[in-house]
Amino acid sequence: MSKQMRNKILSAILVFAMIASVRLGLGMGVVRAEEESAPAMPKYIFFFIGDGMSHVQASAARVYKGNNTEGEVLAGELNFTSFPVNGIASTFDSTSFCPDSASTATAFSCGVKTHSGVIGLEVDKVTAPRNLSEILSQDLGYEIGIASTVTINHATPAAFYAHVASRNEYYDIAMQMADSGYNYFGGGTINKPTGADKDQQDAYEILVEKGYTVTNDPAEIMALDADADMVYAYTDCPQDGGALPYSLDAQEGQLTLSDYVTAGINVMGNPENGFFFMVESGKIDWACHANDAKATIYDTLELDNAIQVALDFAAEHPDETLIVVTGDHETGGMTIGQSYTGYDTAFDLLAYQKMSFVAFDALVAGMLEEDPELTFEEVMPVITENFGLVTPVDASTAPDERLVLSKYEYKKLLDAFETSLMTPEEQTNNEENYILYGGYNPLSVTLTHILNNKSGIGWTSYSHTGTPVAVHAYGAGSEYFGGSYDNTDIYTAFLEAVGLAVNE
Ligand SMILES: [Zn+2]
């Protein structure tokens, strides 16, 4: 190529780039580089986090949804596991290879490694980097939405609006929520709204004073629109300390995570501004801590329903919407396949579980309140009704012969029931009890262990584990999320996707 021709081509490219940058002249003082052929930058960003969700939790939901018939094995599809761009992210933090939700959410929101338990601060526990919500709202004028199935000042949502040295500083986190001015908070209640000593002004009141519309009325929440500027919409459910109920236990008329995503879009779908919407399914983690596979799977499926709401929005805003889905860490050491089922699985048996461990605990607690002398024989019909399991002597009444307890399983269940009647101190005062029950109600955790094991699901922990997580991306800017990287790189990828130089 002659020098003259190369100069001509270079000037043509320069003119084209100038036109393109004028056409895309967005942002206040933010430099964006874009070429005509490059994919559009996302104006609407959804970031879904399955707390405690790694490959195995998503795969378990696919297996449950699929066909487990011998000779015809077929996994079902989830929206997010079918996304075109996929990555894998390491999850360790500066303290541990088994990190917690505070440090991992900080990795996503601030792009830094920090201690377990720390929210929005660097490893010195003092330096507060601007988080994604701050950068996107301040530099690009995006509206900010935050939704979660757990309390709204819990670690994961908090990392997107607060900076605190300890995730337990709930009141301080709630105050930072009130001061954020962000457009939409949706889902669970505020934990410790009047402070640890219950002597502070109520956080709900403060939100109203700061100009928030605060509502727990389902009809009112679903009728919200873009006229509502700053909203905190929540469900006041007593199960699990003010979080949304497990999807497995949801009652007619109770709002779901999908509903909270719909409401958030209605509040923030103002075509003038873009938005960044972080949505957490927080009880996948809680169910995994308790080793309850059915509750885990149902919340994962509901997360996928919520992602469908985002996909419907993306269909109306093609080339402008980015959807990213990941987990923050794995919980429970869940496996598909375990020691005594070998290569077999039978996920269809999970269909016999009718309620989560939390709901079952409440049910048995109610029975014990009525009759403190309650016997195992009296509880057994309730177990059969809600978990399908039957005793060896009642084998002929089993809805499915695989649900008959072996003598070994029956003894484990009987021991668990007897242990559940002891004081909490007696229940946890020896090593074996901890390994068997993990501090959960011995009866319900043994029930889920038995039904999960019969289904071919194993657990190795009641805590978080060090396995990496999958990242799934769809839409404008999704190309930045492919490959193998660290969880802090997810922060970087979001900024790259919106054309922001990463020099925070
Ligand atoms: Zn957890």
Side-chain angles (χ1 to χ4, degrees):
M1 191 190 293
S2 73
K3 198 176 172 187
Q4 206 180 4
M5 192 188 272
R6 195 165 58 225
N7 284 344
K8 267 189 179 170
I9 291 170
L10 283 173
S11 5
I13 290 171
L14 190 64
V15 168
F16 176 78
M18 283 167 68
I19 292 168
S21 62
V22 167
R23 188 178 62 78
L24 293 158
L26 304 164
M28 293 149 279
V30 171
V31 180
R32 289 182 167 210
E34 177 85 328
E35 288 176 22
E36 190 71 359
S37 60
M41 285 187 279
K43 186 174 171 187
Y44 307 107
I45 300 174
F46 292 90
F47 184 27
F48 289 93
I49 301 173
D51 202 306
M53 182 180 81
S54 180
H55 305 271
V56 71
Q57 283 75 14
S59 296
R62 291 189 60 196
V63 173
Y64 183 79
K65 213 179 160 186
N67 183 351
N68 196 48
T69 310
E70 201 175 345
E72 208 187 325
V73 170
L74 197 67
E77 285 299 340
L78 303 180
N79 287 313
F80 64 93
T81 53
S82 312
F83 278 6
V85 178
N86 294 281
I88 182 166
S90 52
T91 64
F92 59 87
D93 64 21
S94 66
T95 322
S96 176
F97 282 107
C98 303
D100 84 328
S101 298
S103 61
T104 53
T106 300
F108 299 148
S109 67
C110 299
V112 298
K113 291 280 189 206
T114 194
H115 304 261
S116 295
V118 173
I119 289 169
L121 297 175
E122 289 188 17
V123 75
D124 61 7
K125 300 190 187 179
V126 176
T127 310
R130 283 203 302 162
N131 61 37
L132 285 176
S133 306
E134 288 162 330
I135 294 169
L136 295 171
S137 62
Q138 291 164 8
D139 294 5
L140 298 182
Y142 281 24
E143 300 196 10
I144 303 296
I146 289 154
S148 176
T149 56
V150 300
T151 46
I152 202 70
N153 51 347
H154 210 261
T156 306
F160 291 85
Y161 64 81
H163 303 271
V164 289
S166 166
R167 59 184 289 169
N168 297 323
E169 294 169 27
Y170 288 110
Y171 190 73
D172 189 5
I173 295 169
M175 292 305 99
Q176 295 190 43
M177 171 190 173
D179 285 336
S180 72
Y182 293 153
N183 307 83
Y184 176 75
F185 291 94
T189 58
I190 295 170
N191 192 16
K192 298 192 169 48
T194 55
D197 299 324
K198 300 187 178 170
D199 57 355
Q200 306 284 322
Q201 189 189 351
D202 187 88
Y204 293 89
E205 264 173 41
I206 294 173
L207 278 155
V208 173
E209 284 174 13
K210 298 271 182 185
Y212 276 89
T213 300
V214 176
T215 172
N216 64 356
D217 180 317
E220 197 181 326
I221 292 168
M222 296 319 292
L224 287 166
D225 58 25
D227 290 342
D229 209 22
M230 288 157 62
V231 173
Y232 172 37
Y234 67 98
T235 293
D236 203 353
C237 169
Q239 190 196 56
D240 266 359
L244 299 196
Y246 283 107
S247 298
L248 180 55
D249 302 327
Q251 305 290 313
E252 188 75 31
Q254 272 177 326
L255 297 186
T256 61
L257 185 62
S258 306
D259 293 327
Y260 278 106
V261 173
T262 301
I265 291 170
N266 292 342
V267 170
M268 297 187 293
N270 184 343
E272 297 290 307
N273 309 317
F275 65 68
F276 174 77
F277 193 1
M278 192 292 295
V279 180
E280 185 207 20
S281 176
K283 291 178 77 170
I284 294 171
D285 173 68
W286 296 7
C288 287
H289 277 285
N291 296 176
D292 183 338
K294 179 78 177 271
T296 301
I297 288 169
Y298 263 54
D299 269 31
T300 305
L301 293 173
E302 174 52 26
L303 170 64
D304 201 47
N305 292 338
I307 291 163
Q308 181 62 53
V309 175
L311 283 166
D312 292 344
F313 178 87
E316 289 168 26
H317 302 272
D319 306 326
E320 290 183 299
T321 306
L322 169 64
I323 305 172
V324 177
V325 183
T326 191
D328 53 355
H329 51 71
E330 200 275 342
T331 304
M334 188 185 193
T335 61
I336 297 173
Q338 60 90 39
S339 53
Y340 60 83
T341 47
Y343 292 99
D344 293 328
T345 54
F347 273 47
D348 55 316
L349 291 180
L350 293 174
Y352 290 95
Q353 184 180 338
K354 301 286 171 12
M355 56 174 67
S356 73
F357 71 100
V358 172
F360 187 76
D361 288 346
L363 182 67
V364 176
M367 290 171 73
L368 274 165
E369 213 171 280
E370 272 184 26
D371 177 12
E373 304 297 313
L374 191 71
T375 64
F376 184 61
E377 286 66 34
E378 288 167 329
V379 176
M380 202 55 224
V382 180
I383 290 174
T384 303
E385 192 184 330
N386 293 296
F387 288 85
L389 300 167
V390 298
T391 62
V393 292
D394 294 321
S396 61
T397 67
D400 184 312
E401 63 180 17
R402 296 170 298 169
L403 292 163
V404 179
L405 294 163
S406 66
K407 281 185 183 157
Y408 169 68
E409 288 165 340
Y410 181 78
K411 181 169 184 320
K412 280 213 308 199
L413 208 50
L414 183 59
D415 288 349
F417 175 73
E418 284 168 0
T419 309
S420 74
L421 301 177
M422 296 174 179
T423 65
E425 294 72 35
E426 287 169 335
Q427 283 180 33
T428 52
N429 68 358
N430 71 67
E431 198 178 343
E432 188 183 8
N433 278 2
Y434 182 76
I435 290 166
L436 286 173
Y437 313 128
Y440 286 92
N441 183 299
L443 181 60
S444 61
V445 80
T446 304
L447 279 167
T448 57
H449 280 165
I450 290 173
L451 188 65
N452 290 184
N453 287 174
K454 282 180 178 295
S455 308
I457 295 168
W459 300 94
T460 60
S461 178
Y462 301 101
S463 304
H464 302 169
T465 69
T467 198
V469 293
V471 184
H472 312 275
Y474 172 95
S478 58
E479 66 275 15
Y480 293 100
F481 293 86
S484 178
Y485 43 78
D486 185 60
N487 58 2
T488 51
D489 294 325
I490 292 173
Y491 159 91
T492 311
F494 275 119
L495 293 185
E496 285 172 339
V498 294
L500 287 177
V502 182
N503 54 4
E504 292 296 322

